[in-house]
Amino acid sequence: MPQLNMVQAINLALREEMARDNRLVVLGEDVGRDGGVFRVTEGLFEQFGGDRVMDTPLSESAIAGAAIGMAVCGMRPVAEIQFMGFIYAAFDQLVAHAARIRTRSRGRFTCPLVIRTPYGGGIKAPELHEESTEALFCHVPGLKVVVPSGPYSAKGLLLAAIRDPDPVLFLEPTRLYRLVKEEVPEGDYTLPLGTARIVRQGGAVTVVAWGSMLQRTIQAVEGYDAEVIDPMTLAPFDGETLLASVRKTGRLVIVHEAPLTCGLGAEIAATVAEEAILHLRGPVVRVAAPDVPVPLARLMDRYLPSVERIQAAVKEVLTY
Amino acid sequence: MPETTIQTFGVRRLEIIAADGTADEALLPDLSGDQLRRLHYLMLLTRTFDRRALALQREGRIGTYPSVLGQEAAQVGSAFALQPSDWVFPSFREMGAHLTLGYPVHQLFQYWGGDERGLRTPDGMNLFPICVSVGTHIPHAAGAALAARARGDRSAVAAYFGDGATSKGDFHEGFNLAGALKLPVVFICQNNQWAISVPLAAQTAAPTLAQKALAYGFEGIQVDGNDVLAVFRATGEALVRARDGGGPTFIECLTYRMADHTTADDASRYRPPADVEAWRDRDPLLRFERFLAKRGLWNGDYGAEVQAKAEGEIDEAVRRYESVPPPEPGEMFAFTCAELSPRQRRQQENIR
Ligand SMILES: Cc1ncc(C[n+]2csc(CCOP(=O)(O)OP(=O)(O)O)c2C)c(N)n1
């Protein structure tokens, strides 16, 4: 089986699915001849041509809006927004339209589209290139939000996202794009949306982390009896897996690189408070970024939860 | 009823200096020898800054950087026409405009070095922070023009952006608002013909960008963006019109991006090198030097002297940039709000 990084795994997923399903089109800024600024769509233009791999003008709202139109009319658009920090112009289209078409048409029309976008910090890029605003989208009923944390899950989740009958936002942790290689099978496999993965079994504390924080979390819990959960889909969130784990361990740490306040950690903590509070032995602890705009490179290391901070949180809840 | 034509439109194009340095005397702006040399120096300083920034990036001393090579005339010529009371909304590739307006050079390095403190415009300078989100600042310029009108002063507003920005909804909404309200704004587009890998022909079906203004009810003009005097003249006229209540103008500076999009880009993937070569003859700095030489304002010795001066100025700025202590983590919080929330204050105290 080939060892691939995440960029190659996503590329493989797109390539195979485009060959399998001729309704699939890829569109976005620089996705064609240039192969995407992170090279995720490299070679697709050459293989499938400009009608299926479309460089668009610089218009996020038009990219999302056109993808909606295509999806409603029988195509399977996979649109790229170049960085998550530039998705806001498309927010209106995603929230006011993509998420509501099924409801508004009482099921007559559906919107099976995927929006892929690099997200997250730690790549020393300019302003708005390192955002992690997944919670904004998780708040919107009708949208699914998926975050792979490695090459294998990236391929399986992306194929599932493309085949999902509803709109999916697929967030690719930029810092992980080339950081790790994993065995990624050629050919078809999907990982179901809405299902979390237990990355590491443990009995004393549950730690939930996604995207590039998962990797740090695994490092941080080395030597501890920690169970690590990778939700993979943030919306809808797999509460069952989480609750089962918390009922077993009695402790919960949630790690995310988005700011603390109203981050997804709040929702996860509330779910545990509602459904498993009597199993808890100590407070739920969140490790998150501070409530400030994402800083530039010089302060990024202080902004993102570090291995040390995650470890400190785990140690702290273990004292209860 | 017969079909009739109810409107016809045209787009003016302005060029003053030819590639060999000869000029259309009738169109020459009224500038002294010292001012012409100053224009030259600012372009040279911009190029020197740019070359140094690229070198610093390669050495890991600053981060990703967008080169302005080839666009010096469009930036310096337009910014040179501004008054200190005018408001300026830059995008992210206007280091020449920053230098012309007197922005502290070390702060430009600081910003591209990943230190937010580089974004703080000196007090009294009406220059907005660098805008990375393409085109989103265009409506801000319209708003600043509304504010100028409300204050009742004669300041105008300039907004800079690239050809890619003309595809954004914010461009169209900002233009429409400015046209409808006849606002004192000058929109300055550096059409360097590429938005990363997307060439102009794939960005728009319109043969000129200038014509986009016509739909919003004001004038669009195309100028040779590698001709510093043409850019200066067009901008100056547009600013006068804006201050006199004549409404907005859109200036398309037709130029070319000679470098990669940024230091993270590799233009050879999508652009034939011959295209770049064809533009070398139209180098804005060389062209202006030929023009100045014909007027006795430039020769080899003078060139070497001002080059050394520019190098010295940039050396000093790099020294200053690198001697500033790194920001404290607490700095992240400093300007989120006038008053931090209790939670932010706790986070600030606990940050390590
Ligand atoms: C809203 C938005 N979308 C995408 C990007 C990523 N991006 C940065 S520059 C650029 C191309 C900009 O082209 P243009 O407006 O012509 O300016 P130029 O870079 O050529 O100076 C793109 C797509 C961005 N910064 N902002």
Side-chain angles (χ1 to χ4, degrees):
Chain A
M1 253 191 276
Q3 292 273 335
L4 302 183
N5 65 29
M6 196 187 284
V7 167
Q8 294 164 325
I10 296 168
N11 182 275
L12 183 64
L14 290 171
R15 189 182 299 276
E16 289 179 355
E17 193 67 357
M18 288 185 82
R20 198 188 70 83
D21 183 350
N22 61 17
R23 296 171 305 171
L24 203 166
V25 293
V26 166
L27 68 154
E29 293 158 16
D30 305 290
V31 297
R33 209 174 290 280
D34 196 30
V37 291
F38 287 103
R39 308 284 171 253
V40 173
T41 53
E42 182 154 39
L44 298 182
F45 176 84
E46 288 73 12
Q47 187 172 343
F48 297 101
D51 288 341
R52 294 191 63 198
V53 185
M54 289 179 276
D55 274 329
T56 63
L58 208 167
S59 324
E60 284 76 12
S61 180
I63 292 169
I68 291 170
M70 283 190 273
V72 168
C73 294
M75 295 171 80
R76 286 289 177 276
V78 177
E80 178 179 303
I81 297 295
Q82 202 158 70
F83 285 90
M84 194 179 194
F86 307 130
I87 206 170
Y88 307 122
F91 197 68
D92 186 21
Q93 288 294 342
L94 295 177
V95 174
H97 295 287
R100 307 173 76 99
I101 280 173
R102 185 182 287 276
T103 300
R104 279 167 64 217
S105 68
R106 308 319 294 163
R108 169 79 167 78
F109 299 113
T110 62
C111 191
L113 65 78
V114 175
I115 306 265
R116 298 178 32 247
T117 185
Y119 99 108
I123 57 163
K124 297 190 161 58
E127 186 182 15
L128 290 165
H129 287 69
E130 310 197 38
E131 308 289 291
S132 175
T133 48
E134 63 271 21
L136 297 179
F137 298 91
C138 292
H139 189 64
V140 179
L143 288 184
K144 294 192 171 103
V145 180
V146 173
V147 179
S149 53
Y152 177 84
S153 63
K155 182 178 172 189
L157 289 167
L158 181 56
L159 289 176
I162 293 169
R163 295 172 196 175
D164 193 274
D166 287 309
V168 180
L169 182 63
F170 193 81
L171 304 177
E172 301 171 3
T174 321
R175 208 174 65 84
L176 299 186
Y177 263 155
R178 293 173 192 278
L179 199 65
V180 278
K181 284 196 169 187
E182 272 174 10
E183 289 195 348
V184 178
E186 280 174 12
D188 216 35
Y189 70 93
T190 57
L191 297 175
L193 303 189
T195 306
R197 176 173 71 114
I198 298 178
V199 180
R200 184 184 189 276
Q201 304 272 352
V205 53
T206 301
V207 190
V208 181
W210 54 91
S212 79
M213 288 299 115
L214 179 69
Q215 203 218 4
R216 285 190 180 184
T217 296
I218 291 168
Q219 271 176 275
V221 300
E222 195 158 323
Y224 293 89
D225 184 18
E227 180 143 300
V228 177
I229 295 180
D230 173 6
M232 300 200 291
T233 307
L234 302 182
F237 196 87
D238 179 359
E240 293 307 309
T241 301
L242 169 79
L243 291 167
S245 177
V246 172
R247 288 185 184 119
K248 181 176 73 172
T249 64
R251 300 181 182 91
L252 177 62
V253 174
I254 306 152
V255 185
H256 59 63
E257 64 168 281
L260 182 75
T261 299
C262 292
L264 203 61
E267 175 62 31
I268 297 170
T271 302
V272 169
E274 280 175 351
E275 309 210 16
I277 200 160
L278 298 177
H279 292 85
L280 286 177
R281 300 185 211 194
V284 174
V285 174
R286 287 178 286 167
V287 185
D291 294 325
V292 304
V294 183
L296 296 183
R298 299 265 163 178
L299 289 177
M300 186 52 83
D301 284 347
R302 304 301 180 84
Y303 174 84
L304 293 177
S306 60
V307 172
E308 293 70 32
R309 274 183 63 206
I310 300 168
Q311 204 165 58
V314 168
K315 271 192 207 162
E316 186 199 327
V317 298
L318 284 173
T319 62
Y320 289 91
Chain B
M1 291 303 276
E3 191 176 283
T4 54
T5 299
I6 57 167
Q7 293 269 353
T8 51
F9 298 98
V11 175
R12 287 198 298 143
R13 180 186 156 83
L14 180 64
E15 181 178 346
I16 299 177
I17 312 175
D20 67 357
T22 53
D24 185 332
E25 299 287 331
L27 290 173
L28 277 184
D30 186 19
L31 290 170
S32 69
D34 279 353
Q35 285 174 307
L36 292 171
R37 282 184 149 182
R38 180 75 192 148
L39 272 176
H40 171 261
Y41 181 74
L42 288 166
M43 285 205 279
L44 184 67
L45 186 68
T46 303
R47 183 156 300 182
T48 309
F49 174 93
D50 197 62
R51 204 180 290 132
R52 190 69 62 86
L54 289 168
L56 292 176
Q57 193 280 333
R58 277 192 292 271
E59 293 166 15
R61 291 156 71 187
I62 64 168
T64 303
Y65 172 77
S67 172
V68 302
L69 184 70
Q71 300 180 218
E72 296 89 347
Q75 301 186 357
V76 171
S78 53
F80 201 70
L82 292 161
Q83 301 289 325
S85 55
D86 295 333
W87 283 80
V88 183
F89 290 76
S91 80
F92 54 86
R93 201 193 291 281
E94 274 86 46
M95 275 55 83
H98 279 85
L99 294 171
T100 303
L101 296 171
Y103 198 77
V105 189
H106 74 279
Q107 279 190 233
L108 287 175
F109 287 124
Q110 206 176 1
Y111 173 68
W112 292 112
D115 181 348
E116 259 104 309
R117 293 173 298 178
L119 282 177
R120 180 168 179 118
T121 308
D123 292 344
M125 191 181 273
N126 299 337
L127 172 64
F128 245 57
I130 284 170
C131 179
V132 164
S133 182
V134 168
T136 48
H137 59 307
I138 294 173
H140 306 168
L146 275 169
R149 183 181 286 171
R151 285 192 310 266
D153 65 27
R154 280 179 51 83
S155 60
V157 181
Y160 285 90
F161 48 87
D163 41 296
T166 64
S167 296
K168 287 284 294 180
D170 286 323
F171 165 90
H172 296 280
E173 297 184 26
F175 266 45
N176 188 52
L177 188 68
L181 304 182
K182 234 171 182 246
L183 298 175
V185 197
V186 181
F187 296 110
I188 301 164
C189 178
Q190 292 172 76
N191 175 5
N192 67 12
Q193 307 190 41
W194 293 91
I196 312 189
S197 72
V198 178
L200 189 71
Q203 193 67 244
T204 176
T208 72
L209 294 176
Q211 73 195 67
K212 291 185 185 255
L214 303 178
Y216 299 108
F218 55 92
E219 187 184 345
I221 176 173
Q222 187 183 80
V223 304
D224 184 326
N226 285 19
D227 173 351
V228 70
L229 294 185
V231 177
F232 172 78
R233 185 184 173 105
T235 312
E237 286 173 358
L239 286 165
V240 168
R241 176 162 46 224
R243 292 194 192 98
D244 289 347
T249 307
F250 179 31
I251 303 175
E252 173 191 3
C253 302
L254 190 74
T255 179
Y256 199 81
R257 192 192 82 206
M258 300 298 285
D260 294 334
H261 168 68
T262 65
T263 48
D265 174 52
D266 172 10
S268 70
R269 292 174 63 91
Y270 51 80
R271 177 168 81 175
D275 285 15
V276 185
E277 282 315 306
W279 275 82
R280 286 213 194 280
D281 281 349
R282 305 175 63 174
D283 183 310
L285 190 57
L286 281 181
R287 190 191 307 191
F288 197 49
E289 284 174 358
R290 289 181 196 128
F291 165 82
L292 291 177
K294 285 185 199 301
R295 314 194 142 231
L297 290 168
W298 191 91
N299 59 31
D301 285 348
Y302 176 78
E305 182 191 314
V306 286
Q307 180 67 57
K309 184 172 170 225
E311 298 285 353
E313 201 173 325
I314 299 302
D315 284 345
E316 177 52 32
V318 173
R319 251 197 310 279
R320 195 155 165 210
Y321 154 58
E322 295 200 315
S323 68
V324 177
E328 295 292 331
E331 176 88 15
M332 257 190 267
F333 296 81
F335 304 104
T336 47
C337 293
E339 197 175 327
L340 297 184
S341 69
R343 176 176 272 177
Q344 283 175 316
R345 241 181 290 124
R346 254 193 330 273
Q347 291 173 345
Q348 190 180 33
E349 281 157 19
N350 293 334
I351 197 155
R352 271 163 289 170

